[in-house]
Amino acid sequence: MNWMNKMSERAHLMGQMLETIGAMDPDARGKCLEGELRTAASRCMCCSHTRQCAKWLQDNAAGATAPFEDCPNAALFREWMQN
């Protein structure tokens, strides 16, 4: 997979994760700092759990109260959920 396809795939997964756990709500979005978002995207690009993440997202399509446990951004996403 070339780097542009990988970046697109990971951005899609990250966006889907944020929607699934409710961290894309307007209140939460306004509190996400640009640096944090860049760090989260970088972690997602380097993540080795892509298949498990996609499966978790499929299994939790109706929503979830917490992010995928093995997500390298789980702690940050939990923080965004609380804001």
Side-chain angles (χ1 to χ4, degrees):
M1 172 182 304
N2 72 42
W3 67 272
M4 282 298 292
N5 289 341
K6 181 178 179 180
M7 192 166 66
S8 179
E9 173 197 48
R10 301 302 172 90
H12 174 74
L13 289 172
M14 192 167 108
Q16 200 174 356
M17 176 71 69
L18 292 170
E19 278 198 34
T20 299
I21 63 174
M24 289 289 281
D25 292 337
D27 291 339
R29 253 195 330 246
K31 295 178 182 174
C32 294
L33 302 175
E34 186 176 328
E36 287 180 328
L37 190 53
R38 218 182 337 239
T39 298
S42 178
R43 286 182 191 141
C44 190
M45 282 292 291
C46 296
C47 182
S48 61
H49 301 289
T50 308
R51 288 187 192 138
Q52 298 95 325
C53 177
K55 170 84 168 95
W56 184 91
L57 288 165
Q58 183 180 12
D59 293 347
N60 290 277
T65 58
F68 171 54
E69 188 90 12
D70 291 331
C71 177
N73 289 307
L76 178 61
F77 291 167
R78 276 193 227 81
E79 183 181 314
W80 289 356
M81 290 171 70
Q82 294 173 357
N83 291 324

